[in-house]
Structure formats: C-alpha cells, structure tokens
C-alpha cells in the first residue's frame, strides 16, 4: 500500500454514505515512518544502556577479578553489586526501575561478570612484568591488562548489546518506548 495503495479509498456505511476517504499510500508511509522511529528509539535505548552498563561494570570487574588482588572487602562489595544487578529479571527490573535509571544498571551485572572472567583468563606474565618495574595499579591496568582484554571486552559488549536490543523491545511493552510501545 505504501507504493501501490489506493490514493482515494472510500469507507461507506450500509446505506452508501461516505464516512471517510483516505489515501492508503499516505497512511502506510506514515505507519512505516513511525515504525522506523520506534526502531531507532529501541536501538538508542539498547546502545546507551549497553554503554552505560559497560562503563559502570568496568571498575567493578577490575575489583572482582581475583588475579588483580584488589583489597578483599572492595572485591566482595563489587561482586555483591554485580550479583544483585545480574539477579534481577528484565521484566521486574523494567517494571520497577527502568523509568528511573534506564537499562544501564541491569546490563552492568552481565558486563561485570564477563569482564572479570576476561581479566581472570589473562596470562599473568605481562602483568607481573609491568609490576616488576615498580608500576602502580593504573599503569598495570593500562599497559598490561587493557591491551590484552580489549578484544574480549568488545566481543562481550556486542553480545550484551544484542540482548539489550531484545530487552529494550520487551521493556517497551511496559512503557519504556520504542518498538515495544508501538506493539502495545
């Protein structure tokens, strides 16, 4: 209908009175434009939520990774935060918190777990070499850890982003916007 629809479609009552006339091409083009806007909103929600989740999770993942030997109380606190964030189901999270904080904190738990596992799988030789020359935690992270885990972080980010696109559609059903709101 967007290309070949009737430009002068008449709706008539049983007695033949014209109730309404519409251009099916315009109606369908407006619908497709709305669908495009809703899709763009869904992608923006997922992308920004994923980015926020990754940024929030990175310091917590560094604290949680056992091979970096963070102070034990900080490591336990970071792990507890990530576990709680990961344990809340998407719909429950959406009903209670999405209007307030968005998708970022929900993704943070998943990102934190994946990032910490990537850090824990590192070859400690590079980390020990940087530490042996007297480098502090910052230079150790940026010279030994970050270059080694960046490919895994990007892979994890794309994986979680894919889930967030799906989740943002579901969250749209409960009012977050995008495709889910259009479906509703």
């Amino acid at each position: 209908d967007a290309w070949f629809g009737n430009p002068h479609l008449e709706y008539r009552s049983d007695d033949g009175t014209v109730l309404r006339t519409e251009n099916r091409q315009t109606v369908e083009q407006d619908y497709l434009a709305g669908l495009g806007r809703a899709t763009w909103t869904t992608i923006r929600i997922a992308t920004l939520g994923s980015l926020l989740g990754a940024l929030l999770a990175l310091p917590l993942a560094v604290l949680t990774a056992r091979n970096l030997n963070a102070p034990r109380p900080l490591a336990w606190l970071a792990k507890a935060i990530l576990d709680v964030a990961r344990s809340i189901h998407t719909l429950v999270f959406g009903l209670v918190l999405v209007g307030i904080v968005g998708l970022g904190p929900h993704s943070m738990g998943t990102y934190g777990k994946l990032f910490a596992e990537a850090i824990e799988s590192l070859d400690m030789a590079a980390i020990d070499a940087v530490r042996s020359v007297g480098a502090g935690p910052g230079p150790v992270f940026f010279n030994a850890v970050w270059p080694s885990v960046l490919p895994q972080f990007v892979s994890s980010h794309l994986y979680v982003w894919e889930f967030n696109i799906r989740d943002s559609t579901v969250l749209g059903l409960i009012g977050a916007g995008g495709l889910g709101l259009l479906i509703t």
Side-chain angles (χ1 to χ4, degrees), residues 6-184:
N6 186 348
H8 191 74
L9 180 64
E10 294 181 348
Y11 292 93
R12 297 181 177 268
S13 65
D14 291 337
D15 66 0
T17 307
V18 175
L19 300 172
R20 161 176 111 229
T21 303
E22 70 180 29
N23 182 339
R24 290 303 301 161
Q25 292 175 348
T26 303
V27 170
E28 289 300 316
Q29 288 169 357
D30 290 345
Y31 173 76
L32 291 174
L35 185 63
R37 285 189 300 275
T39 302
W40 179 241
T41 299
T42 298
I43 291 171
R44 284 189 330 206
I45 290 170
T47 302
L48 293 175
S50 298
L51 182 61
L52 178 61
L55 292 174
L56 291 172
L58 185 59
L60 296 172
V62 169
L63 291 172
T64 304
R66 289 175 292 212
N67 59 340
L68 295 184
N69 300 322
R72 194 168 296 275
L74 286 176
W76 286 340
L77 179 63
K79 184 169 177 7
I81 291 170
L82 293 175
D83 288 345
V84 168
R86 207 172 53 253
S87 68
I88 300 172
H89 190 276
T90 303
L91 286 176
V92 173
F93 184 84
L95 287 169
V96 177
L97 297 173
V98 159
I100 300 168
V101 296
L103 271 175
H106 174 65
S107 301
M108 177 182 65
T110 305
Y111 275 120
K113 176 126 178 94
L114 293 172
F115 288 176
E117 288 176 357
I119 293 169
E120 288 175 353
S121 69
L122 287 176
D123 179 17
M124 291 300 292
I127 294 171
D128 292 337
V130 174
R131 280 186 184 151
S132 70
V133 296
V140 167
F141 179 76
F142 287 108
N143 293 313
V145 175
W146 185 251
S148 301
V149 296
L150 186 59
Q152 288 178 321
F153 281 13
V154 170
S155 175
S156 297
H157 178 67
L158 293 174
Y159 179 72
V160 173
W161 181 64
E162 175 190 344
F163 277 100
N164 281 344
I165 289 176
R166 197 169 343 165
D167 284 349
S168 64
T169 302
V170 171
L171 292 173
L173 292 170
I174 57 175
L179 286 173
L181 190 60
L182 184 64
I183 291 169
T184 300

